[in-house]
Amino acid sequence: GVQTCALTIFLDGAAALKDSESTSTASNAGAPASQSAAGAKNASYTLPASVHRADIRFTATSLSSPERIRFRFRLEGYDRDWFEAGAGRLASYSKLAPGEYRFQVIASWGDGNWGPPIAGVRLLVLRPFWKTAWFIALETIFGVAIVAGLARWITARSLKLKMERLEREQAV
C-alpha cells in the first residue's frame, strides 16, 4: 500500500497564496508550493489571475514495488474524466478560468485496482481585478457620472445659447 504521498505545485508567474487552513505556501514567483500527505486532502491554494500555468507534481511511494505504481488524476471543474498518467507524475494546466477546482490523484499498484483519492488540493483561481464586482460597480458609477455630467453640460450650454439669443432679440 501507500506509505507516503506528496504534491508539489509549481506556478508560472506568481506564487500560490496560502489559505488559512493550508499548511504550505510558495514564497515567490515560480517557486513550488509543497504539500505532504499529512494535509494533502485538505490543502487549499489561491492562485492570482496572473498565473498562466500550474504544474502539479505528485508521487506515492511503495516499499514493495515502486516501479509498478500507476496514477490517474483529474481537476474537478476542468477535467471530465480521470486522466491516465501511467507512471508519470506531472499534471500541467494552462490558462485556467477563474473559479474553484479540486485536484485529485489516485494510484494503482499494478494490479488494476484503483484506490480512493490519495491526495488532493483545492485551487481557487481569482478573477482579474477588472472582472470583479467592485470594479464593474465602479465602472458603472463612473459611466453614469460621465453621462449625467455630459447631459448637464449640454442642457446648460443649450440654455446659455437660448439666453444669448433672447438677449440679442430684445436688444434689437
Side-chain angles (χ1 to χ4, degrees), residues 9-10 12 19 21 32-33 38-40 58 74 91-92 100 102 105 111 117 127 133 139 147 169:
I9 302 173
F10 290 88
D12 170 2
D19 284 351
E21 70 273 13
F58 47 87
R74 72 177 171 189
S92 185
E100 188 172 326
R102 179 143 188 90
V105 178
D111 57 5
R127 295 182 180 282
E139 281 183 314
V147 169
E169 287 176 1

Side-chain angles (χ1 to χ4, degrees), residues 94-114:
S94 298
K95 298 181 182 177
L96 291 172
E100 188 172 326
Y101 303 93
R102 179 143 188 90
F103 181 78
Q104 294 180 312
V105 178
I106 58 175
S108 171
W109 280 263
D111 57 5
N113 294 322
W114 293 93

Side-chain angles (χ1 to χ4, degrees), residues 72-85 93 102-104 106:
R72 288 182 182 169
F73 64 84
R74 72 177 171 189
L75 186 61
E76 287 182 343
Y78 186 84
D79 295 326
R80 288 182 171 209
D81 297 311
W82 290 94
F83 180 80
E84 298 280 341
Y93 293 95
R102 179 143 188 90
F103 181 78
Q104 294 180 312
I106 58 175

Side-chain angles (χ1 to χ4, degrees), residues 105-166:
V105 178
I106 58 175
S108 171
W109 280 263
D111 57 5
N113 294 322
W114 293 93
I118 57 174
V121 293
R122 177 183 162 267
L123 300 174
L124 176 63
V125 180
L126 299 177
R127 295 182 180 282
F129 75 91
W130 61 88
K131 290 185 178 180
T132 59
W134 66 266
F135 189 81
I136 293 169
L138 283 176
E139 281 183 314
T140 303
I141 291 168
F142 187 68
V144 168
I146 287 175
V147 169
L150 188 58
R152 182 177 172 152
W153 179 80
I154 290 171
T155 302
R157 175 121 172 100
S158 175
L159 285 173
K160 182 179 177 185
L161 291 173
K162 282 182 184 179
M163 290 292 284
E164 288 175 355
R165 191 182 71 218
L166 286 173

